[in-house]
Amino acid sequence: MKRKAEKQQAAVPVSAFAARKARQQQAQIATTPKNEPAAQPAVEPPSKRLRRSLEADESTEMNIPETRGPRTRSSTKQDALLPTEKVKSRKGKATGKEQEESQAQVQETRDDSEEEEESEDNAAEGVDEMTEDEIASVAGDADGYESPAETPAELQNFPLSKSRINKKDIVYADADTLCVRIKEKMNLVLLGQYDLWVKRGVVSVMGAKLHPSSRVYRVYAPSTHSLPVIKCVAGVNGEAEVEIKSCNSGLSRLRDVSPLYQRIWNGQNTAADKVTLKGASKDSRRTFSVLYTSADDSLKRHLRPLHLDKKWSASMKALSSRQGKLRVLVCGPKASGKSTFSRYLLNHLLSSDPGFEDGYINTDGVAFLDLDPGQPEFTPMGQVSLAYLRAPFFGPPFTHPSVDKPRDGHIVRAHHIGSTSPKEDPDHYALATMDLLSQYRSLLARYPQCPLVVNYPGWIFGQGLEVATWLIQCLGLSDVVYMSEKGPSEVVDPLSSAAKQAHVPMTILPSQPTDFVSRSSAQLRSMQIQSYFHLSHPLDLGNPLWQGEPLSRTRPLAVDYSGSKQGILGIMVMGSQISPDLLREVLEGAIVGVTAVESPNAIMGASSAQGPSDEGEGNDFDAEDVDMDTDGQATNGTSASLTDNGVVRTKEGLPYLFVGSGSCTPLDPKASNCLGLALIRSVNVASQKLELFTPIPSTRLQDAIEQGHQLVLVRGQLDHPNWAISEEYHAARAAERHYQESIAEVKQRGDSKKIDQTKHNQTLAMLRERIRRASNVPYMTVVEDNSRRQREAAARREKSLWKLRKKAYPASESETDW
């Protein structure tokens, strides 16, 4: 009797990739002579697919007391990704029939979703969105990480380091430090976190050329991105000497509060580590590992070094030759390498030295105008900013989500767009860009030789193309770099024409997209903003630190929103019209931009929202929503009232800045400045306070208040803080796991008698009770049973849009492995 999967296989939709592969196998079998062995099907490298994880697109709310009623939401999205059986690779190559049966087994575990893979356009954009009824998973990839069984063996063993460490190359080494010599034109690749000190010679790292000095550079090399390469450019007697030391930044602690941070750092010691750790204790582990090939990785991840294309290197040298006159705009389609090129160019400009680059010494720093609100480099998502930098940065954006060190650089000015794409409000985006450009002109008065690097988003089609051509014509650029040799012509031709009219040379470079990604764009944004809220900048330390405790266990900041000690001027909502009665529900659990209003003129349209004037003119509010009488009170049943400066007081007393027609008009960028982001925990109506979390330094808030600026909270359309909901749950699971591991170590040493069984049972019961409480919170549901029947039953029970399904079952890879 045929299995159920075989009966239903014909009715199951398959992707274009799987269909093409099946047709190739059938054609090869049909053309094979009977007297010859069947030809083996050609193995194609896996296409770039989105790696999904537990935190892909989850719920939209923070925890609230049980006494509060359900909340109203206009629209929410969630992903409930549940694991499937992994397809185990056999020795040798499987036949076509075996592959079809394997596909049938995988297909049986899927719900009625759309296709297994999205189109190539969506894959390139990193889009990973599903509605609540579309429960999907990838075979062997249930946890959002790469599966070695899916990758051909020849692709796994990828060469990384050209230098092999021998005893003669080791200057000194201990449990935390490794000092080695690297020969000229040789390189070394490391995975993890480390401090790099160049003692002799010249080495290049991520576009920067580092010379001997007392400066120590912090390098972050996670597996989510291509690994940086330490290459010897010049040396004494043909060798460069570098010291690599372990560091404890706290960034690895975030793995206890989010599965997105799991399995991204170095695993067990490699063969090269064992050579350099001789004489140290057996359990010694550094925060970095030396890798010769990707097969050295104990976690078997898809690791690649980042080698720049020759055209990229030549272009960087040509751009650097312009020195202080450089004004370059980097643009191109999505996933073409714009951010990588900008980061390498930035590091290249910040590391010039006498004897190199025609003797040019960069003493005026570099200005970085980041116009990509979706994946910014030095700020959290939803902002455009101008950063002034004096030192190179080594690591992906989630390792430096904010810059606040005078030695390394700072954010000159930022504006909260309130969205990950400029297309939501192109006019406000253009005004913010022009204001940032004027700030750069002011910066030139102090640093006349400060070059400018402009990073433009992948919004290059339609209206985005119009904005790009407008920028080329009005920014006064020296160069334009387009990151794609494949066009399309309908984009390249208008850009070339605009550059020609502005007498600006345009360079077209090949894109360098990553063939394999372990995190989608949405997941990288979640990692960056979670890193932002857990980040701190101690004054006595040169490097930032991350806190591994969940936000729910930290003390929130209480701000008066009404009364004599009111700390904020008002609250704005961008993008859509929100009734004043729903403002509290919209704010709780949301991320807002903390904006300093430098002048009353920043509130555009406020003068028309002052209520009826002497001439009997009305205000800009929609008459169907709120009608105001001569006393300023609502007359249509709502409990909101209008005060000065266009502020509507809700029934909770919240100051709602409702100006414009239908929705809030954004603040004028010329008279406002975004200080950072905050996460509103709750609205305490009894005390008239907002409880919120923010990593903005208190000194910066105090400076804004002392300058007479007023604070406005801007609620935009950013991704909801889904990661904040499940932090306590993941932390509880991690606490139990760490305790079990400590008990196992005691038993392994033969000290079982030292364990107090009564105390052990009490501790274990307390930890499991913490897990139970953390899993029983609003807007999140933990699915303990992974069977399809239980998933369908849970889907029928949980019809609310804001509910989550989280995976938690024994022997879960995301819960037990690192």
Side-chain angles (χ1 to χ4, degrees):
M1 183 177 66
K2 292 186 177 181
R3 294 179 302 173
K4 180 181 179 181
E6 295 177 351
K7 293 181 180 180
Q8 298 179 351
Q9 184 175 4
V12 176
V14 297
S15 64
F17 178 82
R20 183 174 67 252
K21 188 173 182 180
R23 289 195 300 268
Q24 291 176 354
Q25 294 171 0
Q26 293 176 0
Q28 291 175 359
I29 295 175
T31 56
T32 302
K34 296 182 179 180
N35 57 352
E36 293 184 7
Q40 300 295 340
V43 179
E44 297 183 9
S47 61
K48 180 177 178 181
R49 66 168 50 171
L50 302 175
R51 304 300 180 184
R52 299 169 177 141
S53 73
L54 300 179
E55 296 293 325
D57 285 311
E58 297 177 345
S59 125
T60 60
E61 297 292 338
M62 285 290 295
N63 299 347
I64 60 172
E66 296 179 358
T67 56
R68 296 179 184 170
R71 300 175 182 172
T72 303
R73 286 288 175 181
S74 58
S75 62
T76 54
K77 294 183 179 180
Q78 66 177 2
D79 283 357
L81 304 182
L82 300 174
T84 63
E85 297 180 359
K86 294 189 176 181
V87 181
K88 299 181 179 179
S89 59
R90 299 180 181 178
K91 294 182 179 180
K93 298 183 178 179
T95 63
K97 182 177 180 180
E98 291 174 342
Q99 291 182 357
E100 292 177 1
E101 293 179 356
S102 177
Q103 292 178 1
Q105 292 176 0
V106 175
Q107 204 70 31
E108 183 180 6
T109 61
R110 297 195 182 109
D111 286 338
D112 296 331
S113 62
E114 295 181 353
E115 295 184 352
E116 175 191 6
E117 299 174 356
E118 298 181 6
S119 63
E120 294 180 359
D121 294 338
N122 286 344
E125 295 175 5
V127 179
D128 187 14
E129 296 183 352
M130 297 190 301
T131 60
E132 61 165 350
D133 295 328
E134 295 173 345
I135 304 173
S137 59
V138 180
D141 193 33
D143 298 327
Y145 308 113
E146 298 177 11
S147 173
E150 295 179 341
T151 307
E154 63 270 19
L155 293 180
Q156 291 184 14
N157 193 9
F158 195 88
L160 299 176
S161 300
K162 292 183 179 179
S163 299
R164 295 253 173 188
I165 298 179
N166 300 320
K167 292 183 179 180
K168 61 180 181 179
D169 298 326
I170 302 175
V171 181
Y172 54 85
D174 55 31
D176 295 323
T177 309
L178 171 63
C179 184
V180 296
R181 300 186 184 94
I182 307 175
K183 297 181 180 179
E184 290 186 11
K185 298 182 179 180
M186 303 300 286
N187 60 40
L188 202 63
V189 174
L190 296 92
L191 173 65
Q193 312 172 48
Y194 53 92
D195 289 331
L196 179 65
W197 177 27
V198 180
K199 303 180 69 174
R200 293 196 307 170
V202 181
V203 299
S204 65
V205 183
M206 296 185 68
K209 291 183 179 179
L210 306 181
H211 298 259
S213 67
S214 59
R215 176 71 186 265
V216 177
Y217 298 92
R218 178 67 54 86
V219 182
Y220 302 93
S223 63
T224 55
H225 293 70
S226 299
L227 302 180
V229 179
I230 303 176
K231 184 178 181 180
C232 177
V233 178
V236 180
N237 298 326
E239 292 180 336
E241 184 177 321
V242 296
E243 180 187 279
I244 306 167
K245 191 171 184 179
S246 295
C247 62
N248 185 16
S249 65
L251 187 57
S252 58
R253 300 172 189 166
L254 296 185
R255 66 186 182 185
D256 287 344
V257 295
S258 173
L260 293 177
Y261 279 94
Q262 295 177 10
R263 299 168 58 90
I264 68 173
W265 304 111
N266 58 312
Q268 298 178 0
N269 292 330
T270 63
D273 295 336
K274 295 177 182 178
V275 172
T276 61
L277 282 172
K278 287 186 176 180
S281 59
K282 295 182 180 180
D283 57 347
S284 296
R285 284 189 59 190
R286 303 188 181 110
T287 60
F288 62 90
S289 292
V290 181
L291 301 176
Y292 297 145
T293 66
S294 57
D296 294 340
D297 180 30
S298 60
L299 299 179
K300 303 303 177 184
R301 291 163 291 185
H302 195 94
L303 303 178
R304 291 290 184 272
L306 182 56
H307 293 290
L308 296 185
D309 187 274
K310 292 183 179 179
K311 294 184 179 180
W312 281 34
S313 301
S315 178
M316 287 184 186
K317 292 181 181 179
L319 295 174
S320 300
S321 64
R322 302 188 185 278
Q323 302 178 3
K325 298 181 180 180
L326 178 66
R327 314 283 188 270
V328 57
L329 170 68
V330 182
C331 60
K334 296 181 179 180
S336 59
K338 300 183 300 298
S339 299
T340 303
F341 182 85
S342 301
R343 188 182 307 125
Y344 272 63
L345 177 60
L346 179 66
N347 289 341
H348 191 72
L349 293 171
L350 288 169
S351 61
S352 55
D353 190 82
F356 295 87
E357 315 298 340
D358 299 328
Y360 169 62
I361 305 176
N362 186 348
T363 58
D364 286 354
V366 177
F368 188 77
L369 179 58
D370 198 339
L371 300 180
D372 187 358
Q375 293 179 322
E377 186 71 28
F378 298 105
T379 59
M381 63 178 178
Q383 297 184 32
V384 293
S385 63
L386 176 67
Y388 175 68
L389 308 171
R390 303 189 65 92
F393 288 80
F394 305 109
F398 68 80
T399 62
H400 47 256
S402 64
V403 180
D404 192 22
K405 289 293 182 182
R407 180 182 180 184
D408 298 335
H410 65 279
I411 302 297
V412 178
R413 195 174 181 88
H415 296 298
H416 188 65
I417 301 299
S419 175
T420 57
S421 175
K423 64 183 179 181
E424 300 297 337
D425 193 346
D427 295 335
H428 182 221
Y429 178 77
L431 290 175
T433 300
M434 296 306 296
D435 179 70
L436 296 177
L437 186 61
S438 65
Q439 294 295 322
Y440 170 68
R441 296 191 183 99
S442 302
L443 192 65
L444 286 176
R446 299 176 56 189
Y447 307 101
Q449 295 297 317
C450 178
L452 175 67
V453 178
V454 183
N455 181 34
Y456 190 73
W459 183 48
I460 200 66
F461 296 96
Q463 195 171 18
L465 179 60
E466 297 178 5
V467 176
T469 54
W470 170 74
L471 290 175
I472 293 175
Q473 295 173 354
C474 68
L475 286 184
L477 301 173
S478 65
D479 294 271
V480 176
V481 176
Y482 185 76
M483 304 296 301
S484 178
E485 291 183 336
K486 298 181 179 180
S489 59
E490 57 267 22
V491 173
V492 177
D493 293 344
L495 291 178
S496 301
S497 177
K500 186 177 181 179
Q501 293 178 4
H503 304 286
V504 178
M506 180 173 174
T507 304
I508 299 179
L509 297 178
S511 60
Q512 285 192 241
T514 304
D515 293 332
F516 295 87
V517 292
S518 59
R519 301 292 186 274
S520 67
S521 298
Q523 292 170 342
L524 290 176
R525 286 197 299 268
S526 295
M527 295 178 68
Q528 184 175 6
I529 199 165
Q530 187 172 18
S531 170
Y532 173 77
F533 276 97
H534 285 267
L535 180 64
S536 61
H537 294 276
L539 297 177
D540 54 342
L541 295 179
N543 293 303
L545 289 178
W546 282 266
Q547 306 297 328
E549 288 292 325
L551 290 184
S552 59
R553 289 182 171 264
T554 59
R555 186 176 181 179
L557 177 66
V559 179
D560 290 285
Y561 64 79
S562 182
S564 60
K565 297 182 179 180
Q566 181 174 339
I568 59 174
L569 174 64
I571 301 168
M572 299 184 70
V573 179
M574 298 173 58
S576 60
Q577 179 179 357
I578 299 296
S579 172
D581 290 340
L582 299 178
L583 183 61
R584 176 183 177 184
E585 282 73 14
V586 170
L587 288 180
E588 287 184 321
I591 293 178
V592 296
V594 181
T595 304
V597 176
E598 302 166 350
S599 169
N601 297 329
I603 306 177
M604 298 184 291
S607 59
S608 61
Q610 298 294 329
S613 62
D614 295 338
E615 292 79 11
E617 296 180 357
N619 53 60
D620 286 343
F621 290 102
D622 191 346
E624 295 181 359
D625 296 323
V626 182
D627 293 333
M628 315 305 292
D629 59 11
T630 55
D631 295 331
Q633 299 296 326
T635 61
N636 67 339
T638 181
S639 56
S641 61
L642 183 66
T643 61
D644 295 337
N645 297 324
V647 175
V648 176
R649 287 288 176 179
T650 67
K651 58 184 179 181
E652 297 88 3
L654 292 169
Y656 188 13
L657 271 172
F658 192 93
V659 295
S661 57
S663 63
C664 289
T665 302
L667 296 173
D668 188 356
K670 294 181 180 179
S672 61
N673 178 29
C674 183
L675 305 179
L677 298 183
L679 194 156
I680 298 181
R681 180 178 182 268
S682 64
V683 178
N684 194 326
V685 181
S687 60
Q688 300 282 285
K689 293 180 182 293
L690 291 174
E691 296 181 354
L692 49 85
F693 304 104
T694 179
I696 303 175
S698 57
T699 55
R700 193 173 185 187
L701 294 173
Q702 187 66 28
D703 292 342
I705 295 175
E706 291 178 355
Q707 294 176 14
H709 301 165
Q710 293 181 302
L711 302 181
V712 172
L713 304 183
V714 182
R715 169 72 160 87
Q717 303 180 58
L718 299 180
D719 298 341
H720 293 288
N722 308 320
W723 47 268
I725 305 169
S726 56
E727 275 191 347
E728 175 61 24
Y729 170 75
H730 291 298
R733 291 297 298 265
E736 183 199 18
R737 181 172 58 253
H738 295 330
Y739 177 73
Q740 295 279 27
E741 290 173 354
S742 63
I743 295 298
E745 291 177 359
V746 173
K747 293 181 179 179
Q748 189 176 4
R749 293 195 303 264
D751 298 335
S752 301
K753 297 181 179 180
K754 296 182 179 180
I755 301 176
D756 188 344
Q757 195 63 32
T758 303
K759 186 177 180 180
H760 167 67
N761 294 336
Q762 292 177 351
T763 303
L764 198 59
M766 180 182 63
L767 293 173
R768 290 175 177 173
E769 175 64 16
R770 179 185 173 186
I771 295 175
R772 189 194 66 80
R773 290 177 177 271
S775 62
N776 188 23
V777 296
Y779 314 108
M780 185 181 78
T781 299
V782 177
V783 178
E784 299 288 351
D785 192 344
N786 184 45
S787 65
R788 180 174 181 177
R789 181 178 300 175
Q790 291 296 328
R791 297 203 308 269
E792 292 176 349
R796 289 192 299 267
R797 290 193 306 267
E798 307 298 336
K799 291 296 183 180
S800 300
L801 289 178
W802 49 78
K803 289 292 184 179
L804 283 181
R805 284 187 290 272
K806 302 295 294 181
K807 183 187 67 178
Y809 60 95
S812 168
E813 183 178 353
S814 65
E815 295 292 345
T816 58
D817 296 342
W818 296 104

